[in-house]
Amino acid sequence: MIKPIELIGQAIKEGRLSLNEAESKTLLSQYGLPIVEETVVVSEEAAVAQAQVMGFPVVLKGLGSKLTHKTERGLVKLNLWSVEDVHRAYHEIQASAGADLEGCLLQPLVLGRREFVAGLFRDSQFGLVVMFGLGGVFTEVIKDVVFRIAPLTEIQARRMMEELSSRILLDDFRGESAVDKEAMIRVLIGLSRLGMEHPEIMEVDINPLLITPRGEVTAVDALVVISPIESSAKDDPSRKEPTREEMEAINSALEVMAHAKSIAVVGATRSRVQGFSGMFANVSAFGFPGRLYPINPNTEEIDGYKTFPDLVSLPEPMDLVIISVPAPMVPEALKDCIASGNKNVHIFTSGFKETGEEEGNRLQAEIEKIAREGGLRVLGPNCMGLYVPESRMVTWAGASVEKGPVAFVSQSGGNAGDFTSYAASRFGIYFSKVFSYGNALTLDSTDFLEYLSHDDQTRIIAMYLEGVKNGQRLLRQITEINRTKPVIILKGGLTASGARAVASHTGSLAGGEKIWKAFFRQSGAVQVDSLEEMTDVTLAFLNLGESRGQRVAVIGTGGGIGVAAADGCAKVGLDLPALPGATMNKLREFIPPAGNMIRNPIDAHIVFLELDLLGQSLDLLSTGSTIDMFVLALHLDWFSENGTGKQVEKIAHYIAGEARKRTHNLPLVVVWRQYQPDPDIRQSRIILEQILLKAGVPVYEGLPRAFLVLSKLAEYHQFQRQLKL
Amino acid sequence: MIKPIELIGQAIKEGRLSLNEAESKTLLSQYGLPIVEETVVVSEEAAVAQAQVMGFPVVLKGLGSKLTHKTERGLVKLNLWSVEDVHRAYHEIQASAGADLEGCLLQPLVLGRREFVAGLFRDSQFGLVVMFGLGGVFTEVIKDVVFRIAPLTEIQARRMMEELSSRILLDDFRGESAVDKEAMIRVLIGLSRLGMEHPEIMEVDINPLLITPRGEVTAVDALVVISPIESSAKDDPSRKEPTREEMEAINSALEVMAHAKSIAVVGATRSRVQGFSGMFANVSAFGFPGRLYPINPNTEEIDGYKTFPDLVSLPEPMDLVIISVPAPMVPEALKDCIASGNKNVHIFTSGFKETGEEEGNRLQAEIEKIAREGGLRVLGPNCMGLYVPESRMVTWAGASVEKGPVAFVSQSGGNAGDFTSYAASRFGIYFSKVFSYGNALTLDSTDFLEYLSHDDQTRIIAMYLEGVKNGQRLLRQITEINRTKPVIILKGGLTASGARAVASHTGSLAGGEKIWKAFFRQSGAVQVDSLEEMTDVTLAFLNLGESRGQRVAVIGTGGGIGVAAADGCAKVGLDLPALPGATMNKLREFIPPAGNMIRNPIDAHIVFLELDLLGQSLDLLSTGSTIDMFVLALHLDWFSENGTGKQVEKIAHYIAGEARKRTHNLPLVVVWRQYQPDPDIRQSRIILEQILLKAGVPVYEGLPRAFLVLSKLAEYHQFQRQLKL
């Protein structure tokens, strides 16, 4: 049997970019893929003779390395029932293909109405990707396809089938048997293995992958695209897998930077009264307790600090050098770093690859070369660098000095400041380490993740990502880290027109939406859509325990809440189950019927006036087996209209204390709504939030935000439970 | 030729619930639908003989009124190429169908890979609905179907084709010709006409509706379901089309109620210090200037008003009677209305159909009978009735006394109060008339719309709908009204689990999501998802002129804005076009390159510091032909960090005055973001909003809300332009 490497080698030697159908199938069959029984014939006589041996009906297809779009060119003849049919088909194929015809493929006609497609290709960020979907002539019409980043596990192959919209075709369907799912899994895993073992294979397309009426899987047609040049990933140092030593060196460098005792700012300027104060003034103003050196050859002193003309003149090596000179001067500044033995660098300056212009690209290539050759560890360029409250280190104004358990890894400097300020001031969420790394010259998100995975002060990792250089490493890391430290990701540039802006912002290529979707499904990372959503979700993960399922009970006030709760839950995939009759009967023992609905939502003002009734309700629902999570919804205007504003504070204390105990550790969040401008109510809302947040009870404005958060929590825990199975 | 009515009549006489395939096709062909040439054969010999006349290949199908699921039962034999094939097929059909076989249908085999489905059915709210979609065996798998409420116009039939996800199958596809679209339109309109003319037809299902390789349309299989009982719509008085006289009578009644000079509250109580104050106290507290009568037989006086024991004792007839007694007492109260000659009634009381319980249903049926027999005009039950600032009339606390150009028709009383309070206090949006009508005993949304269509004080109509009784009337009305007064609708209970809550809330049956989608597509009404979104959109429609397209320019500040703007636009279907090179060159004449991006977004602090540059930018972009709408995005923290908080006020004045002029009437909205808790910035935001709102410039928190609003505005105007074509 011919070896795969020989098949591919032969084709490359002949200068071909693909294997022909017969070669493709030979290769696939060696990876365990079920191929339709077939034979190559090179003459009309042979075709007829072999067809008689095979038995009718048969299929005849033209073969030839230059023959593409076979169906459209009439080179595929199905439904041949007789010797005459085969003669005619051979003639027609010859006429159409002309000199390009190298022979014909003869197959028995495989019957089956269910056609799928499977394949693989190489993505610029994630490398090898396996594809599965609805096939046949309508593949591009329906576009029902799912992806997985290789290598593929059996569980993931199974999930691919489950995620297909047309998955019911895989079950018993209109008198035809359910597909042999184990065989289908072998196809997908075989593809993954083929791609992993042969980097010279760029693409495989099996269409149709036919399901027979008995449920058998058969590859009827297949194409393998090859390339003599191996994937460029291997040559790009930023995509290379780091060795253990390299990782340890980077970890140590990041640890030194995050706890820097000495910082030099190259291009330090005096702080301005108006406009951005600059790197030096911001670091200084935040109260950095270490030794801070301004580098500026044009002045003696800046804000009371003695300046130095360059890094070489400094009295000691720096834990961190911040470069804030104009872009054309950055190469010299980096050389100065190397000359002075300073390897830990943050380049604040912009004007590189993110401009999308020639000069910016050239400058970035230049500084990358300098940095790599000099062994520099670079944050940036085009970023805000480090924010570490514990070390009193930040480069922007308005950051909180409090430290906390959340890390943030952000490709955007603006988002680094916005998210941390908003999370701190709105919800009292504080940070351990924040890395803003912009164009990722030598250090990428994967390096910060590696460091944070070992950081005991970090319990949750939030990320703003636009692109990634080594997607496979990112996937491996996040899958592992996410088991113990939830990873919450805002992916910018998911949409087609978003991708252009990403290129302009940090100069990285954003991946296709469907592949990032696969990334989230595989890693179990929590995907959010905005900084506000990231804040909401972080608050929940910080404070809530495991969610055992998706069934929510809403206890609240207000006429429209029933419909709003039902629509809101359905929108994010949560259940709002009607309570069982027995439960409703028990509720009715202490909740009077007049004006109080108890089907779920429980729409009953009385439980917020007589708070022990709220406790009893929570007790009852959380000890049953029909509810997994709680939303308590307060329509604050109601308490105002009814002269019971003070009641809000009592409710807050009750929830913070007693009510929470009576949920028996089921997740509980509070929602408030306020439509009237009453200042008393505004004040009561502020008190409500203070009391609840202090006690660790997440509190949100409006039902939709709460439902979204709970749906993410439930998905996260469900994913983690499945991993343990 | 047998007439449709005879065909159907015969089937009904025989007690059948459907026509057989041959009858169905005969009927459809009489409405102009292209039917495959076919013949009925009742013996094996006839089948063979006819097949030879017809020419091979042929198709043979078992016929019989009891024969369903023909494919699964093996009663459809395709691909018969010879006399032997026909013999064998006939035998097999006989064996499978047994005594139920009434004959066979013989057809030529129609070739074609493109299978569609078309049909009609009757919806409980919207009546006759026409359906079109991807057909064949995968119809239920792919679920690519669209609907239209009949009667269908040619434009709508064309839109149905355009809305299909798999619409590319209708064009030239893989060597097969584009479908004859005019023929397809005739099919859809023919179905609509058939359904309109024959109310005894409940359902038609044509599957497959085949497209031949030459693009011809042919109905290969069809089923017509009939019912001897005509649609119940005709018997239900609430679904009946009102006569002109009835409409005028209702309009007059609503005009009297909305400008009531005399109101009686049946079941008036003293206002309470705590808890809901009650109808009487709320009407009184709002400053109702007319004559207000409490009805309560148990006391002499309420809050200084002399009480009356019943309506008959009153000194004059009432413009409006509000009923606020417990549910079991409502029938008597209604009888009192009739006895005293009072016909305009608002029933506040709940406990009727919305409970979903037997007693509630019974009570509602009882009061409906009383109300209809007595000719009462009833708002409610289970609702808040009227809010008319001009008449100083409202039934809840906290409403604004200001009047304005927006009407609100709300099935939920809670939403009536919440939306109007929020819109007024947040954005200064005020109201002309608000109708909260709950269970819609005799007056439904369609009655209020009819009234509002003539109301000069109403420029925009907002609605919260759960269900509707006469959906066809609603569609006709809104399509018409929406041309001059934009209609903005929040539809509650769109989702499956939402539907249950709707039933419990107002006792009406919510329609399926896809039919409501058709309703929005046909009427052009603006669909929103929440009260907050309704407020945002109302603000825009009140203040912005026509949008000529979907191309947005964003001028703003902040690093992450590029990606966020691109992702945000794409999410709602807006374009964020890159500016042409010539435009960028002109911008570069006054915007320096350092730190300022100008591709769109224009990310340039300088235009907010030197405001004439903002004016110049707007001038340039609005006089080109590449931009249709503007978003100005202010990152308020930036102004704080940079000591330029006062600048925000200047910006606001500039936008409110000069900048707006320089947009040349293109829609412009302002967005602010604030992530830091700085109180100065909070104050500058409040001033910003005040200045802009006073000048009629919509202002929102965050880009997503602005993009959503602009997408709705653009869709609305595009729809209206197409109507005029």
Side-chain angles (χ1 to χ4, degrees), chain A residues 257-260 263 286 288 320 386-389 391-395:
Chain A
M257 292 192 216
H259 300 95
I263 299 179
F286 195 59
F288 177 65
L320 175 64
L386 286 149
Y387 165 39
V388 186
S391 307
R392 281 284 183 132
M393 194 196 308
V394 81
T395 63

Side-chain angles (χ1 to χ4, degrees), chain B residues 7-42:
Chain B
L7 258 175
I8 299 167
Q10 179 67 21
I12 290 175
K13 215 168 100 187
E14 291 171 14
R16 287 193 273 145
L17 292 176
S18 62
L19 306 185
N20 71 29
E21 187 178 338
E23 292 166 342
S24 295
K25 286 183 183 162
T26 302
L27 182 61
L28 292 174
S29 69
Q30 294 183 8
Y31 279 81
L33 277 77
I35 301 302
V36 66
E37 162 204 358
E38 61 189 15
T39 181
V40 176
V41 289
V42 291

